[in-house]
Amino acid sequence: MEPLLYEYAWLIPVLPLVGATLVGVGLISLNKFTNQLRQLNAAFIITLLGVSMAMSFALLWSQIQGHGSYTSTFEWASAGNFHLTMGYIIDPLTAVMLVIVCTVAFLVMIYTDGYMAHDPGYVRFYSYLSIFSSSMLGLVISPNLVQIYIFWELVGMCSYLLIGFWYDRKAAADACQKAFVVNRVGDFGLLLGMLGLYWATGSFEFEIMGDRLAELVSSGALAGGLAALFGVLVFLGPVAKSAQFPLHVWLPDAMEGPTPISALIHAATMVAAGVFLIARMYPVFEHIPVAMDTIAWTGAFTAFLGASIAITQNDIKKGLAYSTVSQLGYMVMAMGCGAYSAGVFHLMTHAYFKAMLFLCSGSVIHGMEGVVGHDPVLAQDMRLMGGLRKYMPITAFTFLVGNLAICGIPPFAGFWSKDEILGLAFQANPALWVVGWLTAGITAFYMFRMYFLTFEGEFRGTNQTIIAQLKAAAAGVEEEVVLEPAFGPGAMDPHELDHDEDHHHSSEPHESPWTMTLPLLVLAVPSFLLGWLGRPWANSFEALVHAPGETTAEVVEHAAHFSWTEFAIMGGNSVGIALIGITVASLMYLQQKISAGAIAQKIQPLYNLSLNKWYFDEIYDRVFVMGCRRLARQMLEIDYRVVDGAVNFTGLVTVVTGQGLKYFENGRAQFYALIIFAAVLGFVVLSSIG
Amino acid sequence: MTNFPWLTTIILLPIVASLLIPIIPDKDGKTVRWYALIVGLIDFVLIVYAFYSGYDLGNPELQLVESYAWIPDLDLKWSVGADGLSMPLIILTGFITTLAIMAAWPVTLKPKLFYFLMLAMYGGQIAVFAVQDMLLFFLVWELELVPVYLILSIWGGKKRLYAATKFILYTAGGSLFILVAALTMAFYGDTVTFDMSAIAAKDYAFNLQLLLYAGLLIAYGVKLPIFPLHTWLPDAHGEATAPAHMLLAGILLKMGGYALIRMNLGMLPDAHVFFAPILVILGVVNIVYAALTSFAQRNLKRKIAYSSISHMGFVLIGLGSFTNLGLSGALLQMISHGLIGASLFFMVGATYDRTHTLMLDEMGGVGKQMKKIFAMWTSCSLASLALPGMSGFVAELMVFVGFATSDAFNPIFKVVVVLLAAVGVILTPIYLLSMLREIFYGQENKELVEHEVLVDAEPREVFIIASLLVPIIGIGLYPKVATQIYDATVTQLTSMIRSHVPALTATSQAPEVENVAFLKAPDLYE
């Protein structure tokens, strides 16, 4: 049974691909019919993914039992003596990732049935989800860098398609393009780094690359600086994909996509691919200290940056997005500190609790839409929420579980993984620990701010003053950028006409259907329990997934050195600051003892910095977007005037052109062409005789 | 059946068939398009069959060779053959031209003349890739210009005459260099011969090689096109109809690349050693420059035209790489762009049929009513921006890896070239995706929606795009499908060229670089 399982492991990514292809072909060729089948398509796709999930669990089980890693390859491309192979590798890291991706994708797909029930693009959404799952699964089983790069781009494409799913929204259209282009900037680095490493080591296999690179650097055949450059270039890929500073700007905008994909792609799986790549490239990075430091500090800074912005966000999804940026920063920092297994562990726990938080936010939005209508400006704004716990108890409960997990309150999952990272960061560099520790406090604050604003207090969704304010603000922003002044009745609010139709509002939000709440409850289980695997005195996770250089025996021996005092100090510190954060949040947003507005007034510049996301978008727009457009226009101008002109009016061509054009305007074009042809032919004949 | 004159049949069948068109009774122009399509299909089947039965993948030499004396006094021979360079392009030609005939379905203006020209071009294009006689090559090269010219000038847009004239003057001007070079090479040395293999076997003086190379580079640089000889292309493309586009982008541009490999690389290897860095630099300029101009273009056809120029830059870098992988990548990029370029231009045509405008400012939000067109556009654009899983990615990756691992250049030159070429990787999605955004995304453009009937794609259009996407994705998933056709030939060619690079053979026959002061190559011999 077992050999068969490994032999057919390639089916795991292929099955969802088959589903996506069949449904996709159906959509293109028999559109009406396929759309009518609706849930049948969904059931088909979910079943296929379910099979993949079962296989993944079986593989994980087999890996836990100690089955060695398994690789299978075939020759994909060749030219002369160059051979490029593709295939798949099953080792503990892969097995864990497979299970994460499959389970989250599976639950998100079930959730989608409720969330997208009334959307005309229901079937299309499922086929996109399926093709994404396929690419992501392909990514995690990749045995070499080229194959990772291939799937890396494919998940990027899926992200593009899904962010732009509601393509008639301008914000979505801009966001999907931004996501793709920013990711291409990262891929540019990844490609260059990949080429550099191949040039230096002659291989795309992780282990071989690492060994040869270490050899080359130590023997002096390759300058250390060059090796560091390649390392940092490769790291640019994860910087973009995992939304690290300075390429984090695409992720918050990506929230324009439907919420299920925010949970699946932009919280749990795809954005974690960057961390996964660092893990896979670990054999290379560990020999390049400069790269490791860059990774660690990028991660630490991003963790802080994300948290500092999340404090002031009012859009529930944007807040969660910045929290994701911050948490990814933790993982990257862990990788850079050499805390390989802690980073992957946090990736896993985060995947579950963040997916759950996003799905909760989707459930909230779904409930709010019943009150304020299908307008993201209103339905996602926390200033209009409040008191939702009464109406949506399951959502509120699961959100709270996720909140406790992300804040690092024991015994929830996030505590164990975050604490492990902080402990190892302290060993690597206390400064990193300070950043991480502070960020943990901010995290607790903004997450509970979010919880209190959304679920506690009074429901504000019917407050017309706030609604009017929000609408005006949104219209103002959009008008500045896009809309030309319109005339006629209702011209002041360009959305007015669009929204008149959906005034089927009730005055109270409602709990979501079971297809949405069930996945939430299921995800709450790992968010609560999963951390136990990584308890420091018996770390069974690390025994399974550890850095390629280490052996299991070393890991076990390392765990034996566990000291309760150390653990109590480190854990106490992080729990302490989290509790402070929660207390402050409750004073400000639950009991209203401290006025948030007054504080914001006092530190106006800092508040604005956070509210405006450190002005990254503005700066990038000014420098890169405008700069690129200007350069392009100038190039075109040059092309018209200089290049075309110069070639047109020099040499032999000029003479003929001048004469020729006169003829052509007389309409004797064909005749003239024949003359040229005959002349050339005559010339040929004459010269060959001569 | 091995002695059957396959290539001659394949070339002559559409030409003979085209001559029959005037006598076909056809009042409403509907019979003749079926006739053309069937001829195209038969010829394509013949190509595939000939390839299947008579072509040996492991053999790098010319196959399916035929040679008949035509005008003995001129030493003009009808000699055709196909090796790894020709074969994939011949198959591509049959494929794209057949689809172009299908794309021309709605043509109502002078259908008989139109299909006559299409079929004539069918044969002419294949002949360019198949003939093995220099003089004959020159003849067919010129001959296929005439139908293109006529198609441009009769079925084009408003400025069609200007565009057509510019096209023919550029290409015909370039052809003079081919003629001169061909004659020089034929008469050089003791024997007078037009046979390509014999010409390649001659050993030319180095300075003469440089001159010949430069001349041919100009001729083929117009066709490929290479900066700064590219400006005819946006004009020609801006005015052509969809089927003409498909042929221009799909096949005609590839003739330039094919001839560069066949003659510049294959016949003048010493000069190639000298010119390779220049080719590489021009390739980088092509990629970045055309990508930027494409981004600034507001006219859809011209935008895609510039994107073609940008993609051809990778061919040049591959040609100059001195590695198997690089050259293989260049050839694959030609095939891949043939498919992708044709599909993009077909989509431009399909969009124009509905919106009746090419200006991006006048479109917007049409995705709501044309969902299938939207989906097809997205797939083709993703293919063009080298998304993995599609052929363009494999080709570009091969060129990148081939050049980066090339041992003929010094590391700094390589780093700069790879870095700049990789900038193209960022620029391509910028212009393609913002184009998609402006056509399909966002609110519907009221002006457009009120005045035009935006019907979704019909089955014929879906079929054409699907036919193009199958090989695009097929090659992307398993590139050996395409690469094994030419692998043997490319390997042989690369080792021949590499034997002329002094640094690689460690022999001391350094070319006299000092003698030619007008062109100084970057350090090649590290």
Side-chain angles (χ1 to χ4, degrees):
Chain A
M1 189 63 204
E2 227 176 15
L4 213 61
L5 180 66
Y6 281 90
E7 223 168 282
Y8 284 95
W10 53 268
L11 276 174
I12 294 175
V14 168
L15 286 176
L17 181 68
V18 169
T21 317
L22 288 179
V23 175
V25 168
L27 274 178
I28 284 276
S29 48
L30 298 164
N31 190 289
K32 277 222 179 94
F33 176 72
T34 314
N35 267 323
Q36 271 163 5
L37 291 177
R38 269 183 112 74
Q39 286 184 318
L40 220 58
N41 290 300
F44 173 61
I45 280 175
I46 293 177
T47 314
L48 285 178
L49 188 70
V51 177
S52 293
M53 183 169 76
M55 291 179 75
S56 307
F57 271 116
L59 283 174
L60 179 65
W61 181 247
S62 148
Q63 287 291 320
I64 293 174
Q65 297 303 309
H67 193 287
S69 70
Y70 176 92
T71 316
S72 165
T73 54
F74 67 94
E75 190 180 276
W76 184 65
S78 67
N81 54 3
F82 171 87
H83 300 282
L84 190 53
T85 57
M86 294 283 153
Y88 61 93
I89 179 169
I90 305 292
D91 62 358
L93 179 63
T94 303
V96 168
M97 290 298 294
L98 282 178
V99 169
I100 297 174
V101 175
C102 280
T103 45
V104 177
F106 187 74
L107 292 169
V108 164
M109 281 187 184
I110 293 176
Y111 178 94
T112 299
D113 178 59
Y115 191 83
M116 301 293 280
H118 306 295
D119 198 287
Y122 178 91
V123 179
R124 183 166 59 102
F125 192 74
Y126 267 101
S127 63
Y128 284 176
L129 274 182
S130 194
I131 201 166
F132 168 78
S133 314
S134 165
S135 327
M136 189 68 210
L137 292 167
L139 195 155
V140 299
I141 62 170
S142 300
N144 62 48
L145 195 50
V146 178
Q147 195 178 335
I148 285 206
Y149 183 83
I150 289 176
F151 286 105
W152 185 266
E153 288 258 312
L154 286 180
V155 290
M157 170 202 78
C158 297
S159 161
Y160 168 78
L161 292 175
L162 282 161
I163 297 169
F165 185 76
W166 287 316
Y167 50 81
D168 49 346
R169 292 188 187 171
K170 186 186 180 304
D174 293 343
C176 66
Q177 192 189 341
K178 184 172 174 183
F180 198 95
V181 172
V182 172
N183 270 296
R184 261 292 162 103
V185 175
D187 296 348
F188 160 82
L190 181 54
L191 178 70
L192 291 180
M194 199 166 86
L195 292 176
L197 286 172
Y198 182 75
W199 168 72
T201 64
S203 171
F204 287 120
E205 320 275 322
F206 309 109
E207 306 265 334
I208 302 177
M209 265 195 292
D211 293 346
R212 290 200 190 147
L213 198 69
E215 227 172 82
L216 286 170
V217 174
S218 63
S219 71
L222 184 72
L226 213 52
L229 178 73
F230 294 155
V232 173
L233 280 172
V234 169
F235 176 57
L236 260 182
V239 166
K241 193 108 320 186
S242 290
Q244 300 295 298
F245 165 80
L247 298 179
H248 64 278
V249 287
W250 67 273
L251 184 59
D253 288 22
M255 296 302 133
E256 290 299 333
T259 309
I261 63 118
S262 307
L264 175 62
I265 301 187
H266 303 122
T269 55
M270 186 191 83
V271 289
V275 181
F276 172 76
L277 176 62
I278 305 177
R280 272 279 181 250
M281 289 292 288
Y282 200 76
V284 175
F285 285 133
E286 66 179 341
H287 301 299
I288 316 174
V290 183
M292 289 297 266
D293 287 342
T294 317
I295 294 173
W297 279 104
T298 310
F301 181 72
T302 309
F304 177 74
L305 178 78
S308 76
I309 298 174
I311 296 180
T312 55
Q313 296 305 308
N314 290 316
D315 182 315
I316 186 168
K317 285 180 76 183
K318 285 264 162 82
L320 285 174
Y322 278 106
S323 140
T324 306
V325 170
S326 170
Q327 295 297 313
L328 289 166
Y330 272 111
M331 296 172 212
V332 170
M333 179 175 85
M335 289 294 168
C337 295
Y340 176 92
S341 114
V344 178
F345 188 41
H346 195 57
L347 188 165
M348 176 158 95
T349 58
H350 175 262
Y352 288 111
F353 64 67
K354 188 48 76 57
M356 182 176 70
L357 285 169
F358 262 111
L359 293 182
C360 284
S361 81
S363 170
V364 167
I365 294 165
H366 194 69
M368 287 296 289
E369 277 174 349
V371 183
V372 298
H374 292 270
D375 183 356
V377 174
L378 302 177
Q380 300 185 7
D381 201 294
M382 290 190 287
R383 285 169 289 189
L384 279 177
M385 299 174 185
L388 291 182
R389 187 160 56 93
K390 252 190 304 187
Y391 310 106
M392 323 179 78
I394 303 177
T395 308
F397 167 73
T398 46
F399 197 94
L400 184 64
V401 171
N403 238 354
L404 291 169
I406 197 173
C407 295
I409 304 298
F412 289 86
F415 167 73
W416 306 99
S417 52
K418 195 192 274 188
D419 197 60
E420 196 180 347
I421 292 179
L422 287 178
L424 290 165
F426 188 78
Q427 286 172 19
N429 185 344
L432 285 172
W433 174 81
V434 173
V435 179
W437 179 73
L438 267 178
T439 306
I442 308 176
T443 306
F445 173 77
Y446 72 73
M447 283 313 292
F448 270 88
R449 168 183 177 265
M450 212 178 271
Y451 176 76
F452 292 138
L453 278 176
T454 309
F455 293 104
E456 301 295 339
E458 290 297 307
F459 182 59
R460 301 177 288 271
T462 46
N463 186 332
Q464 291 303 323
T465 3
I466 306 182
I467 292 182
Q469 274 173 7
L470 293 181
K471 271 191 168 175
V477 169
E478 268 188 44
E479 213 144 32
E480 242 174 53
V481 192
V482 253
L483 295 171
E484 289 161 2
F487 302 99
M492 289 322 290
D493 181 5
H495 291 297
E496 206 168 78
L497 293 172
D498 306 343
H499 299 301
D500 276 350
E501 58 209 68
D502 44 37
H503 275 301
H504 51 75
H505 306 165
S506 54
S507 59
E508 286 177 3
H510 54 85
E511 180 61 284
S512 305
W514 72 268
T515 43
M516 291 170 69
T517 48
L518 178 74
L520 293 179
L521 290 169
V522 175
L523 281 169
V525 178
S527 304
F528 180 61
L529 289 179
L530 208 58
W532 196 245
L533 288 177
R535 58 198 185 281
W537 57 90
N539 197 334
S540 44
F541 184 81
E542 194 167 346
L544 178 65
V545 181
H546 46 77
E550 295 172 20
T551 61
T552 315
E554 274 172 19
V555 175
V556 172
E557 194 206 303
H558 180 73
H561 287 295
F562 170 73
S563 126
W564 276 102
T565 1
E566 224 175 89
F567 173 66
I569 295 173
M570 295 305 297
N573 263 316
S574 40
V575 174
I577 194 161
L579 287 176
I580 294 173
I582 296 173
T583 318
V584 177
S586 81
L587 284 174
M588 282 168 75
Y589 297 98
L590 185 62
Q591 298 162 3
Q592 318 283 354
K593 291 249 169 72
I594 309 174
S595 157
I599 296 181
Q601 287 274 308
K602 260 183 214 155
I603 48 164
Q604 192 72 29
L606 280 179
Y607 175 75
N608 280 340
L609 183 70
S610 164
L611 189 65
N612 291 304
K613 302 140 192 176
W614 293 42
Y615 298 101
F616 275 110
D617 282 333
E618 284 76 7
I619 297 170
Y620 285 1
D621 190 56
R622 195 80 39 95
V623 179
F624 298 114
V625 180
M626 297 296 175
C628 186
R629 286 209 185 124
R630 194 174 323 122
L631 184 66
R633 268 199 305 274
Q634 284 163 350
M635 280 292 180
L636 188 64
E637 198 73 359
I638 291 175
D639 197 59
Y640 270 138
R641 305 211 183 288
V642 185
V643 181
D644 196 21
V647 182
N648 266 346
F649 294 99
T650 46
L652 177 81
V653 188
T654 332
V655 186
V656 192
T657 316
Q659 297 297 319
L661 280 178
K662 273 183 211 157
Y663 258 100
F664 279 89
E665 265 128 46
N666 290 338
R668 278 189 272 170
Q670 291 87 328
F671 177 67
Y672 186 71
L674 288 177
I675 289 183
I676 290 196
F677 181 65
V680 172
L681 206 65
F683 187 54
V684 175
V685 174
L686 275 178
S687 11
S688 32
I689 289 170
Chain B
M1 286 293 270
T2 42
N3 292 326
F4 187 81
W6 282 114
L7 288 171
T8 310
T9 314
I10 290 166
I11 294 168
L12 289 183
L13 174 74
I15 295 178
V16 171
S18 75
L19 294 175
L20 295 178
I21 282 188
I23 58 164
I24 292 177
D26 183 25
K27 288 229 171 83
D28 50 1
K30 281 182 183 156
T31 323
V32 71
R33 62 189 189 191
W34 278 107
Y35 173 75
L37 180 63
I38 290 166
V39 171
L41 276 174
I42 293 175
D43 209 34
F44 182 58
V45 170
L46 283 180
I47 293 172
V48 174
Y49 184 75
F51 167 68
Y52 176 76
S53 66
Y55 187 85
D56 173 18
L57 293 177
N59 184 354
E61 304 294 341
L62 282 173
Q63 305 177 44
L64 300 163
V65 181
E66 304 158 40
S67 184
Y68 314 99
W70 193 357
I71 310 174
D73 296 339
L74 293 183
D75 191 32
L76 183 60
K77 272 183 297 190
W78 174 261
S79 88
V80 288
D83 60 2
L85 300 177
S86 319
M87 203 63 222
L89 293 168
I90 292 175
I91 299 174
L92 180 78
T93 308
F95 186 64
I96 301 278
T97 317
T98 308
L99 285 177
I101 292 174
M102 206 185 281
W105 227 235
V107 167
T108 47
L109 176 71
K110 299 187 191 169
K112 280 192 172 178
L113 182 57
F114 186 84
Y115 288 105
F116 166 76
L117 293 171
M118 288 296 270
L119 287 179
M121 260 183 94
Y122 200 141
Q125 291 171 133
I126 293 176
V128 169
F129 295 125
V131 295
Q132 296 301 329
D133 182 280
M134 273 303 250
L135 202 56
L136 199 54
F137 177 83
F138 176 73
L139 282 178
V140 290
W141 177 276
E142 290 298 308
L143 260 177
E144 56 77 30
L145 290 183
V146 180
V148 183
Y149 168 76
L150 291 176
I151 287 181
L152 267 179
S153 62
I154 299 177
W155 286 270
K158 287 193 190 88
K159 282 171 67 188
R160 55 180 184 267
L161 287 183
Y162 171 76
T165 316
K166 202 166 171 183
F167 165 76
I168 201 124
L169 291 180
Y170 265 64
T171 8
S175 317
L176 289 180
F177 290 97
I178 307 181
L179 183 63
V180 173
L183 294 176
T184 317
M185 290 201 276
F187 287 99
Y188 187 84
D190 308 327
T191 49
V192 177
T193 172
F194 282 105
D195 183 66
M196 283 194 191
S197 324
I199 285 178
K202 284 186 184 176
D203 200 9
Y204 305 96
F206 182 66
N207 285 347
L208 181 65
Q209 277 207 31
L210 287 181
L211 275 174
L212 290 171
Y213 195 103
L216 290 176
L217 185 61
I218 292 174
Y220 302 138
V222 167
K223 201 85 173 183
L224 193 61
I226 300 176
F227 173 89
L229 304 172
H230 65 274
T231 49
W232 64 271
L233 185 95
D235 280 320
H237 273 291
E239 301 306 322
T241 52
H245 268 313
M246 291 172 73
L247 295 185
L248 268 175
I251 301 155
L252 263 77
L253 304 191
K254 311 303 165 300
M255 292 179 180
Y258 164 78
L260 269 180
I261 301 180
R262 169 80 67 204
M263 289 165 203
N264 291 33
L265 271 65
M267 297 176 184
L268 307 163
D270 288 323
H272 180 64
V273 174
F274 179 83
F275 271 99
I278 298 170
L279 279 190
V280 171
I281 291 170
L282 286 172
V284 171
V285 173
N286 256 28
I287 292 173
V288 178
Y289 177 87
L292 280 171
T293 40
S294 172
F295 182 43
Q297 264 297 344
R298 305 299 301 156
N299 178 312
L300 198 52
K301 275 188 182 170
R302 288 175 159 260
K303 200 183 244 304
I304 305 293
Y306 276 109
S307 100
S308 292
I309 303 174
S310 177
H311 283 106
M312 288 298 106
F314 283 99
V315 174
L316 289 176
I317 296 182
L319 293 190
S321 70
F322 293 103
T323 56
N324 238 324
L325 198 57
L327 194 55
S328 236
L331 209 54
L332 190 60
Q333 174 76 349
M334 285 165 43
I335 298 167
S336 151
H337 181 268
L339 299 164
I340 297 171
S343 68
L344 276 176
F345 277 117
F346 175 70
M347 288 316 298
V348 173
T351 312
Y352 180 75
D353 287 343
R354 292 163 172 83
T355 60
H356 296 109
T357 176
L358 287 170
M359 302 312 288
L360 288 173
D361 304 312
E362 296 166 15
M363 299 190 204
V366 301
K368 265 197 158 170
Q369 295 193 31
M370 308 197 296
K371 293 205 169 71
K372 286 180 195 167
I373 297 257
F374 183 19
M376 294 192 292
W377 252 117
T378 308
S379 325
C380 300
S381 305
L382 290 174
S384 178
L385 60 79
L387 189 81
M390 308 218 195
S391 56
F393 167 76
V394 188
E396 289 182 17
L397 184 75
M398 283 168 87
V399 170
F400 269 123
V401 177
F403 186 77
T405 51
S406 169
D407 42 8
F409 299 95
N410 81 38
I412 297 168
F413 182 67
K414 277 198 298 194
V415 167
V416 173
V417 166
V418 171
L419 194 79
L420 288 175
V423 169
V425 171
I426 304 179
L427 291 175
T428 319
I430 292 183
Y431 67 76
L432 283 172
L433 296 186
S434 41
M435 173 191 80
L436 284 183
R437 182 170 51 83
E438 288 184 276
I439 304 175
F440 294 104
Y441 286 81
Q443 296 260 313
E444 281 184 333
N445 184 331
K446 294 232 168 66
E447 193 90 344
L448 186 72
V449 177
E450 276 165 20
H451 291 103
E452 304 292 346
V453 188
L454 301 176
V455 283
D456 208 351
E458 50 183 286
R460 177 184 61 91
E461 292 167 323
V462 176
F463 177 78
I464 291 175
I465 288 298
S467 314
L468 286 163
L469 281 176
V470 166
I472 290 174
I473 294 175
I475 295 173
L477 292 180
Y478 194 59
K480 280 181 82 171
V481 182
T483 53
Q484 63 184 7
I485 302 179
Y486 56 75
D487 202 28
T489 309
V490 166
T491 309
Q492 194 192 40
L493 183 61
T494 316
S495 63
M496 186 278 286
I497 295 169
R498 286 173 67 88
S499 70
H500 288 264
V501 183
L504 301 179
T505 49
T507 51
S508 58
Q509 38 154 312
E512 303 146 58
V513 180
E514 278 71 27
N515 288 353
V516 265
F518 63 98
L519 286 171
K520 187 91 181 94
D523 189 0
L524 188 62
Y525 316 114
E526 269 272 322

